[in-house]
Amino acid sequence: MNSSIVPLLCSFLLLSAFSASAFNVTKVLSEYPDYSNFNDLLSKTGLASDINSRSTITVLAIPNGAIGDLTSKSGDVVKRILSTHVVLDYYDPMKLKSMKDKTAKLTTMFQQSGKASNDQGFLNVTAKDNTFVFGSAVKGSQLNSRLEKSVMNQPYNISILGISQPIVTPGLDGTLAPVSAPPPKANAPSSPKNSPPAESPDDEAESPDDEAESPAPSKDADSPSADSPPADAQSPSSSSAGKLKISFALFVIMASMVAAY
């Protein structure tokens, strides 16, 4: 082997070793007691080793007072949640201030896990009220984790930013479901077109007067027919014949009386 190549090879190996171990996140955070719980969780979940294997990284560290119930969750859930607090790029306050339009979408370590869906592996950051706020890029998520301070930075390898509270990414924890578009509002059922209006009970229930037809007046056998004249009304021909018979009888009687005298 050419003797001139040996120094170059040694320099390359030393540089590679330095780059691979440019920082130790556990050791760095151990100098900041306010983040001791966060540091412990990074070690217990194995996420610290994944962070140390990177040459460029930004860690969004959660202070002890805001760690909440993360310590009571399972190791797998905690690792998924904390991996969304590790950005695969270098961001310090100066770089955040130089963001175009004062907003950006950041790629996190959870995106490279192959388990992310619906933008779970991304964060949104935007300038607000003289600081910056972070939140999940999942649709409907809130940007409510404020940048409180720069804990430490080593350009351009590692930056640790202190944030006010954990970033909630829907779907990572068993109690949260991924945010989705709201279901359409149920429309009130409308009556089919051209269909007759529903009849009211008053319309359906016909009155007895409508349903029950009044009975036709029965003809009394003893009552005179409308076509026949009253009983005491004699026809002219019958009356004349009766008068003639009476007159004849009176004549016969008178004639007999005359003959007797």
Side-chain angles (χ1 to χ4, degrees):
M1 181 180 293
N2 193 328
S3 58
S4 62
I5 298 179
V6 174
L8 292 176
L9 183 59
C10 291
S11 299
F12 176 76
L13 293 174
L14 288 173
L15 181 61
S16 299
F18 176 78
S19 298
S21 59
F23 54 83
N24 184 312
V25 68
T26 303
K27 185 176 180 180
V28 171
L29 283 174
S30 65
E31 299 179 10
Y32 302 93
D34 289 344
Y35 299 94
S36 59
N37 291 339
F38 181 79
N39 194 18
D40 288 343
L41 292 176
L42 291 182
S43 299
K44 289 177 181 178
T45 58
L47 199 57
S49 298
D50 296 337
I51 293 173
N52 292 338
S53 67
R54 299 279 176 171
S55 59
T56 302
I57 210 82
T58 299
V59 178
L60 303 178
I62 307 166
N64 295 340
I67 205 74
D69 64 346
L70 276 178
T71 55
S72 64
K73 298 183 183 296
S74 68
D76 185 56
V77 170
V78 173
K79 184 172 183 177
R80 290 200 301 267
I81 293 174
L82 293 188
S83 64
T84 63
H85 292 65
V86 181
V87 179
L88 302 181
D89 199 353
Y90 179 86
Y91 282 92
D92 57 16
M94 186 177 295
K95 185 174 180 179
L96 289 173
K97 291 176 182 178
S98 66
M99 291 187 305
K100 184 180 180 181
D101 299 326
K102 303 300 180 182
T103 187
K105 188 173 184 178
L106 314 178
T107 305
T108 71
M109 189 170 280
F110 186 64
Q111 179 63 23
Q112 292 195 342
S113 69
K115 301 177 182 179
S117 61
N118 299 323
D119 278 345
Q120 289 177 323
F122 297 93
L123 298 179
N124 286 330
V125 58
T126 188
K128 182 180 180 181
D129 299 333
N130 298 320
T131 186
F132 295 90
V133 288
F134 297 85
S136 173
V138 174
K139 186 177 180 180
S141 299
Q142 295 183 348
L143 299 177
N144 54 8
S145 186
R146 293 179 293 101
L147 172 64
E148 292 190 328
K149 63 180 179 180
S150 174
V151 180
M152 67 82 62
N153 60 77
Q154 180 181 306
Y156 287 91
N157 298 122
I158 183 172
S159 172
I160 299 180
L161 303 176
I163 57 176
S164 61
Q165 64 187 54
I167 297 170
V168 178
T169 299
L172 296 187
D173 152 335
T175 62
L176 294 173
V179 175
S180 58
K185 294 182 179 179
N187 295 324
S190 57
S191 57
K193 293 182 179 179
N194 303 326
S195 63
E199 296 181 356
S200 64
D202 294 339
D203 295 335
E204 292 181 354
E206 298 181 357
S207 63
D209 294 341
D210 294 336
E211 288 185 351
E213 298 180 357
S214 57
S218 60
K219 294 182 180 180
D220 192 346
D222 298 331
S223 62
S225 167
D227 298 331
S228 61
D232 58 348
Q234 301 292 331
S235 63
S237 56
S238 299
S239 179
S240 298
K243 289 180 180 181
L244 182 60
K245 287 180 179 180
I246 293 172
S247 298
F248 180 74
L250 290 175
F251 176 75
V252 171
I253 293 171
M254 290 179 66
S256 298
M257 291 176 65
V258 172
Y261 286 106

